[in-house]
């Protein structure tokens, strides 16, 4: 069996990652490097935990905050990383079959 390329971070703390993401988005401008540094070192299950912890700690929706702070392909990529695998697969399938030439 192949070795997974994304594994859980053994030093993970949902509280610390939530604080890092909030700090990256708070105030004037957005620290995109800090967002990448935080998101890239978490597995998907850890990202799901951060979504819940962020809401508990700050009373804010992490996904809504990311949407308001980011844009373009970078926003799409970061938001995709926070989707559960089944949600991401469904979104990709929907995009692939939506549009012209697919109503045959």
């Amino acid at each position: 069996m192949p070795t997974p390329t994304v594994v859980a971070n053994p030093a993970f703390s949902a509280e610390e990652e939530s604080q890092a993401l909030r700090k990256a988005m708070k105030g004037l401008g957005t620290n995109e490097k800090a967002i990448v540094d935080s998101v890239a070192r978490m597995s998907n299950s850890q990202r799901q935990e951060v979504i819940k912890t962020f809401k508990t700690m700050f009373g804010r929706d992490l996904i809504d905050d990311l949407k308001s702070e980011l844009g373009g392909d970078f926003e799409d990529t970061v938001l995709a990383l926070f989707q559960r695998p089944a949600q991401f697969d469904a979104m990709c399938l929907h995009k692939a079959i939506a549009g012209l030439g697919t109503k045959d």
Side-chain angles (χ1 to χ4, degrees), residues 8-71:
N9 179 355
F12 173 75
S13 165
E15 292 82 11
E16 288 178 16
E17 297 299 343
S18 294
Q19 288 174 341
L21 288 167
R22 179 71 179 130
K23 182 178 177 184
M25 294 183 284
K26 193 173 180 182
L28 200 56
T30 302
N31 185 342
E32 293 179 353
K33 182 183 181 321
I35 292 172
V36 170
D37 289 345
S38 181
V39 173
R41 65 177 168 235
M42 292 184 271
S43 67
N44 188 273
S45 62
Q46 290 172 329
R47 288 186 207 106
Q48 300 309 311
E49 191 175 336
V50 167
I51 291 171
K52 294 174 190 171
T53 302
F54 192 91
K55 179 74 168 180
T56 301
M57 289 178 69
F58 303 109
R60 302 175 63 87
D61 185 272
L62 175 59
I63 302 304
D64 288 345
D65 281 2
L66 289 167
K67 285 179 182 177
S68 73
E69 294 290 330
L70 306 176

Side-chain angles (χ1 to χ4, degrees), residues 5 84 97:
T5 57
R84 290 185 176 93
I97 62 174

